[in-house]
Structure formats: C-alpha cells, structure tokens
C-alpha cells in the first residue's frame, strides 16, 4: 500500500555538559613503559517536545499529536591502559592493553499522545496515552589483549595474541498510566515495561606474521572469532544463550615509495551484536504511527572490511593527491521488518545476508605563491554505493543507492591582509528499488559558498561567511533554496594572545534546511529550522606557556569565555 505522511515537530532543549580528560606515561626503565588515558563526560538536561502527524491513504486518515517533557542525565567514562616491555634491540616485546567504556543514561519522561482514526471526514476511533516513563540504560564494555612478539629474522616477527571483550547492555523501562481516581501516574503498564539485559563475550585467539622494513610494512593475522550472546528478560523470566564461531582475519600492508608518497591496504573481519532496542521484545509507542518491537532472536552481524589508499603529498608546498576506497560486506545484517495495517506501521527486525556499503574518492590540491600573493585550489570527487536490504510491508526488497559529490575549492591571500575562499559542491543521489522495477529516485543538490576575511586595520579581524544551497526534486510546499550569512568582528590585543569577537549568526534570519531522504521503502522530504539567529560575544586567550612547555608548538593552549 502507498500512503503519505505529513508531520511537524518542535522542541526546546537545555543541556549542561562537563568534560575532562587526562593522559600520562610512566617509564619504569628504558625498556618498560605504561600509559594511561582516562576521560569523563557528564550531561544534565531537560527538553520539551511536541509533534503533529497526519497519515493519509485515500479517504482514510490517521492523526496524532504527541507532547513530552523529559529530564535526562547521562555519564560516559572511558579509560585506556597500555603496558609494553621490550626485549633486546631487535624488536621483540610483550604488550598488554586494557580498555573500558562505561555509559549510563537516566530519563524521566511525562508523555502524552492522541491518535484519531478518520474515515470520510468522520472520527471513528480515538486512542489516548497519558504516561510517565522512567527509563534507565547502561552500557559497560571491557576489553583486554595480550601480544607476544618474537623475532624470526631481521625485520620479520611472529605475533601471538589473545583478545577478550565483554559487553553488557541493560534497559529498565517502567511505563505508568495516569490514574484519574488517584490523580497520579501509578498504573504500571506491564506490556509496555521491561527489564532486559544483553551480555556478549568475544574471544579472539590469533597468530600472525609481521614484517617491518624501512619502506615496506605488512602483517597477516589469522585466528578464531568466537562470540556468545546472552539475553535475559527479568519481567517474563526468560533467557537464552547462543554461541557463534567465525573466521578472524586481519591483513595490513603499507609501502612508502618515496618521502610523502605511499599506499596502504587493510582487511579485517568482525562480529557486532545488535543494539538493545533491536533486541528487547517490548512495544515502544512513543510514535503512535510507528510501533517498534525488538526481536531477541537476532544474530550478530559478521562483517568484512577492506580499505585502500594512495597518498602523494608535498608538505613543503602543501600540494598533492589522495586516493581512497573502502567496502564492507555484511552477513546477518540487522534490517527493519515493517507491516502497515490500518495506517499503523509495526516495525521489528530480522537478519539478512548480502548488505554492502562502499565509498571511494580522489582529491588534488595545489598551493603556490607569487610575490605578496598566495593562491590555492582543491578539486575532489567522491562517490558511494550502498546495497540496502529490508522488508516493505512484509515483502523483501533490495535497493541500490548511488551517490557522487564533486567539489571545487579556491583560495586567495594577499599579504595576510585579505583572504578569500570560494567553493562549490554538487551532490547527486540515485536510488533504484528491486521491489518495483519502475521506481527510481534521483536528485541533485548544489552548494555555493564564500568565506572572506580581512585583517585590516591592524589587530582588527572582519569575517563574512556566505552559503547558498539549492535542493533538487523536493515535494511542493518545501523551499528548494536557502541562504545563510554569518558575520564576525574581532579585535586582537595583548601581543595578539587575546581576542575579543562579536559574531552574528544567520544575519538574514532565514537559516532553513531542506533535505530529501530515499531510504528503505520511502521518500522523505524534511524542512528544518536548524538554529535561530543569535549574537555572541566571545573572549579567547592563548597561553604562551603551560606546565613549563610551549604549547604553541603543538596547537597552543587556549582559554575561552
């Protein structure tokens, strides 16, 4: 069946974020080193969102309104510890590494939705949800690896490795319906609530031969990729465990032809488990027109990734060429399985073989000077091909998606007084659907932009940034062009270490983004107000020394207010 959906949504979000990271190394002796790199990120916020949707098929209509007020807390802690002990001077060593990632998210959401079924202008059905949703998610991942390198011959090594990782995902979701008698949210909706946990163990014993010459470096590792997946639903007291054995293979070749000119090739296999939202078998009704239910019997996705690149760049003249390509093949890829009945879509997930994502590109840049003037240009072309698999109303389909993005960037600088950088980009997309041989989606987007900066009079920096976008093949009612103009005026003082800047974002106050998405079995046109016009006053101070060292040699230290 073919139907049309119109939707409009808006929201207001306030978020407070705190980040910190640290890195240090300890040399126990000339042959032993330990490095530690912890980081933490904490967010606190709240949001108000609402949306209005209309889905139509002939004389039938499905209308929905949603409102929610959510408080959200999240934390993310990461750490990496490396230990390496060298043996002799020929390259033998023992390396042990440990990584952990601990994420937590807590949300309290007051959610309200109305859904109306209309036939020939008459309302024949109404569904209302007035709920409080208390949800906690956590993700804890620990990885450990040990590698023993032995010398077989000059520059030739034998590596024996064992890598182990454990990933634990948990979701506790309690949905309470509003009780008119008590005036509170105290009616637990058991069918919409869950207490679900997923644990995955990965073992990779492997061995490899590696060569590390002056120009040629390469290695080949072969082993077993063992993955176990355990699901446990505490509310219905059910659980199951599956075990998977795949081939682990890793190859890496890099050859330096001359200084600044080299090529590389990489190949790797991996197993990735589905997300917890794809696994947990509980309906998510926060979108009344699209109900999502996970599938706990999903298998991990086995992938094979290939990368190739050629690099020829002269850092002295900042000129050269880059060529790159990548392709990833999937078995047991997790894809959506959707069924639409009475204009309500129910989506779950299944595994399919044969998915593919790939991209390739080339760019060439050139820079040269003529007396007080400097010119540069960069011309590039990149493309992609994706083979998308899925189900449209229960029928399996294959979609071939092609994309191409040529671009041209120019630059002009006169004695560091004025700098002008125009650019042009084109985006071409073509999607062909195997489920309907007559269906083909094709469009072209254009972007023309200009950055202009002057450094006169002395200590004054005046900048302008223009961008014009033209969107192809959008539906009637959507703007097919947009113009963005940003302006800034800055003043440098205290020996150019301090900068006071006033910036006007979206001077014309019409920063609207239009986009078209041709995914799976749908075409979607979207118009978004990205960010409203604002004025910002900023102060930046560059430290000349920090911790006894000159950070300007490696990007400097900067304080912003």
């Amino acid at each position: 069946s073919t139907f049309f959906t119109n939707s409009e949504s808006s929201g207001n979000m306030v978020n407070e974020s705190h980040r910190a990271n640290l890195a240090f190394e300890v040399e126990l002796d000339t042959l032993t080193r330990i490095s530690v790199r912890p980081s933490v990120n904490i967010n606190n916020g709240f949001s108000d969102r609402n949306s209005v949707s209309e889905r139509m098929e002939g004389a039938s209509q499905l209308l929905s309104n949603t409102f929610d007020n959510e408080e959200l807390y999240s934390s993310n802690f990461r750490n990496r510890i490396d230990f390496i002990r060298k043996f002799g001077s020929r390259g033998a060593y023992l390396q042990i590494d440990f990584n952990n990632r601990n994420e937590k998210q807590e949300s309290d959401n007051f959610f309200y939705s109305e859904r109306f079924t209309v036939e020939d202008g008459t309302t024949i059905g109404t569904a209302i949800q007035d709920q409080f949703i208390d949800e906690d998610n956590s993700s804890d991942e620990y990885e450990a690896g040990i590698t023993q390198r032995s010398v077989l011959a000059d520059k030739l090594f034998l590596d024996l490795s064992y890598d182990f990782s454990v990933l634990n995902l948990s979701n506790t979701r309690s949905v309470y319906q509003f009780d008119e008698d008590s005036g509170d949210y105290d009616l637990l909706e058991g069918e919409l609530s869950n207490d679900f946990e997923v644990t995955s163990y990965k073992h990779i014993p492997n061995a490899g031969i590696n060569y590390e010459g002056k120009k040629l470096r390469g290695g080949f590792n072969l082993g077993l990729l063992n993955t176990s997946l355990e699901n446990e639903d505490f509310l219905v007291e059910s659980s199951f465990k599956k075990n998977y054995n795949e081939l682990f293979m890793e190859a890496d070749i890099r050859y330096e032809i001359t200084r600044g000119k080299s090529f590389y090739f990489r190949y790797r296999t991996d197993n990735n488990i589905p997300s917890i939202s794809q696994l947990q078998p509980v309906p998510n009704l926060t979108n009344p027109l699209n109900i999502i239910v996970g599938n706990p019997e999903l298998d991990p996705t086995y992938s094979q990734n290939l990368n190739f690149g050629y690099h020829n760049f002269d850092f002295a003249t900042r000129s050269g060429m880059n060529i790159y390509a990548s392709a990833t093949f999937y078995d047991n890829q997790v894809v959506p399985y959707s069924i639409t009945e009475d204009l309500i879509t129910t989506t779950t997930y299944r595994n399919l073989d044969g998915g593919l994502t790939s991209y390739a590109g080339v760019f060439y840049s050139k820079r040269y000077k003529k007396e007080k003037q400097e010119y540069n240009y960069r011309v590039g072309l990149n493309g992609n091909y994706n083979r998308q698999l899925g189900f449209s109303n229960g029928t399996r389909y294959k979609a071939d998606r092609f994309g191409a993005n040529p671009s041209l960037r120019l630059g002009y600088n006169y004695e560091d007084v004025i700098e002008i950088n125009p650019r042009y980009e084109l985006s071409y997309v073509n999607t062909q659907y195997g489920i309907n041989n007559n269906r083909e989606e094709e469009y072209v987007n254009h972007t023309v932009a200009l950055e202009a900066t002057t450094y006169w009079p002395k200590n004054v920096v005046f900048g302008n940034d223009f961008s014009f976008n033209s969107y192809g093949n959008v539906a009637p009612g959507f703007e097919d062009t947009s113009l963005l103009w940003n302006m800034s005026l800055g003043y440098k003082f205290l020996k150019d270490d301090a900068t006071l800047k006033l910036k006007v974002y979206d001077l014309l106050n019409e920063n609207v983004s239009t986009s078209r998405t041709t995914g799976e079995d749908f075409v979607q046109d979207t118009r978004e107000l990205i960010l409203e016009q604002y004025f910002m006053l900023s102060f930046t101070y560059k430290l000349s020394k920090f911790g006894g060292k000159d950070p300007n040699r490696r990007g400097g230290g900067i304080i912003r207010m």
Side-chain angles (χ1 to χ4, degrees), residues 340-408:
T340 301
E341 295 179 345
D342 299 325
L343 293 179
I344 298 177
T345 302
T346 301
T347 300
T348 185
Y349 302 94
R350 291 189 177 183
N351 291 109
L352 282 181
D353 295 337
L356 167 65
T357 60
S358 63
Y359 61 85
V362 57
F363 75 82
Y364 178 80
S365 61
K366 178 71 176 179
R367 183 186 300 264
Y368 55 94
K369 288 186 176 183
K370 183 179 181 181
E371 297 179 350
K372 298 180 180 180
Q373 303 177 82
E374 182 178 89
Y375 304 86
N376 67 81
Y377 67 89
R378 181 183 185 275
V379 58
L381 173 64
N382 63 74
N384 59 79
Y385 166 69
N386 297 330
R387 184 192 302 138
Q388 300 174 337
L389 306 175
F391 295 87
S392 175
N393 211 22
T395 302
R396 179 174 174 173
Y397 73 88
K398 176 176 71 74
D400 295 306
R401 179 183 176 91
F402 304 87
N405 303 93
S407 63
L408 174 64

Side-chain angles (χ1 to χ4, degrees), residues 283-348:
N284 186 331
L285 306 182
T286 52
N287 182 349
L289 303 186
N290 188 9
I291 301 170
I292 299 176
V293 185
N295 178 8
E297 297 185 0
L298 291 173
D299 294 329
T301 299
Y302 181 70
S303 62
Q304 301 178 73
N305 175 255
L306 299 97
N307 278 280
F308 166 81
Y310 171 76
H311 180 79
N312 185 0
F313 195 81
D314 184 351
F315 288 95
T317 61
R318 298 182 184 179
S319 304
M321 173 184 292
N322 239 348
I323 301 174
Y324 56 90
S326 176
T328 304
F329 303 87
Y330 301 98
D331 289 328
N332 282 327
Q333 186 176 12
V334 177
V335 301
Y337 181 89
S338 299
I339 297 290
T340 301
E341 295 179 345
D342 299 325
L343 293 179
I344 298 177
T345 302
T346 301
T347 300
T348 185

Side-chain angles (χ1 to χ4, degrees), residues 447-488:
T447 298
V448 180
L450 174 67
E451 296 178 4
T453 308
T454 61
Y455 304 89
W456 184 90
K458 186 178 179 180
N459 297 336
V460 176
V461 181
F462 181 51
N464 288 273
D465 183 0
F466 306 88
S467 63
F468 174 79
N469 294 280
S470 174
Y471 310 101
N473 202 27
V474 296
F478 289 83
E479 296 183 16
D480 58 1
T481 61
S482 69
L483 177 62
L484 176 64
W485 181 9
N486 300 327
M487 180 185 294
S488 65

Side-chain angles (χ1 to χ4, degrees), residues 70 72-75 103-107 135-139:
E70 183 178 28
L72 186 66
Y73 167 84
S74 65
S75 63
E103 298 179 357
K104 185 178 182 181
Q105 182 172 294
E106 301 173 353
S107 67
E135 187 167 10
D136 295 333
N137 288 281
S138 67
S139 174

Side-chain angles (χ1 to χ4, degrees), residues 22-28 31-38 79-86 93-100 143-147 163:
L22 180 67
F24 62 91
E25 290 186 354
V26 178
E27 288 192 5
L28 301 180
L31 299 177
T32 310
R33 187 181 74 245
I34 299 176
S35 63
V36 183
R37 298 178 179 86
N79 188 35
R80 178 179 178 86
I81 302 174
D82 286 306
F83 169 85
I84 185 168
R85 170 70 178 180
K86 298 180 181 179
Y93 64 78
L94 172 68
Q95 182 175 4
I96 302 174
D97 59 82
F98 174 81
N99 297 274
N100 67 279
E143 299 177 336
I146 182 170
T147 298
D163 298 303

Side-chain angles (χ1 to χ4, degrees), residues 503-519:
K503 180 176 181 178
V504 184
Y505 182 83
D506 191 12
L507 189 66
L508 303 178
N509 199 26
E510 57 175 51
N511 184 24
V512 175
S513 172
T514 300
S515 62
R516 163 160 286 198
T517 304
T518 58

